[in-house]
């Protein structure tokens, strides 16, 4: 699914996003959760990877299986809806490290 709910019919995956994250994660793992904390001066974002749910419904430790897995990474774009535009706010990881921003042609 798309973070924040289903997109309207005909919408692109990033069309309504205030922020489009480019992330890398372990191959075969998926983003299980995206955490966003907004204030007037900053937007903090964290992406947490885990295994997909098994088709047979069995239990699995989603996160532990994806932590520190060496090898090939997959790259994904994650559209993130925000309460307001990014504007002049700093975009940071949850730990407070700066995330490099790439401006859009209209900004």
């Amino acid at each position: 699914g798309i973070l924040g709910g289903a997109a309207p019919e005909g919408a692109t995956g990033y069309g309504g996003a205030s922020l489009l994250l480019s992330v890398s994660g372990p191959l075969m793992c998926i983003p299980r959760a995206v955490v966003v904390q907004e204030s007037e001066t900053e937007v903090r974002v964290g992406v947490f990877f885990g295994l997909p749910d098994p088709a047979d419904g069995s239990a699995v430790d989603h996160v532990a299986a994806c932590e520190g897995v060496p090898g090939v990474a997959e790259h994904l774009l994650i559209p993130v809806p925000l309460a307001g535009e990014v504007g002049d706010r700093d975009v940071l990881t949850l730990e407070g490290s700066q995330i490099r921003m790439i401006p859009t042609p209209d900004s």
Side-chain angles (χ1 to χ4, degrees):
I2 296 175
L3 179 66
E9 189 171 329
T12 62
Y14 59 85
S18 304
L19 182 64
L20 187 61
L21 295 177
S22 174
V23 299
S24 297
L27 190 63
M28 304 304 292
C29 294
I30 61 172
R32 297 289 301 188
V34 177
V35 176
V36 179
Q37 299 171 339
E38 291 186 67
S39 73
E40 289 182 16
T41 59
E42 62 187 29
V43 177
R44 290 184 179 232
V45 183
V47 179
F48 300 91
F49 284 82
L51 293 174
D53 292 331
D56 66 4
S58 61
V60 63
D61 186 343
H62 295 286
V63 177
C66 292
E67 289 180 347
V69 176
V72 180
E74 60 183 333
H75 304 280
L76 305 164
L77 294 175
I78 301 177
V80 179
L82 299 174
E85 293 300 317
V86 173
D88 292 332
R89 296 188 286 178
D90 291 327
V91 180
L92 310 168
T93 65
L94 290 177
E95 295 81 21
S97 299
Q98 192 76 32
I99 295 175
R100 191 179 96 200
M101 297 289 291
I102 299 172
T104 59
D106 60 338
S107 61

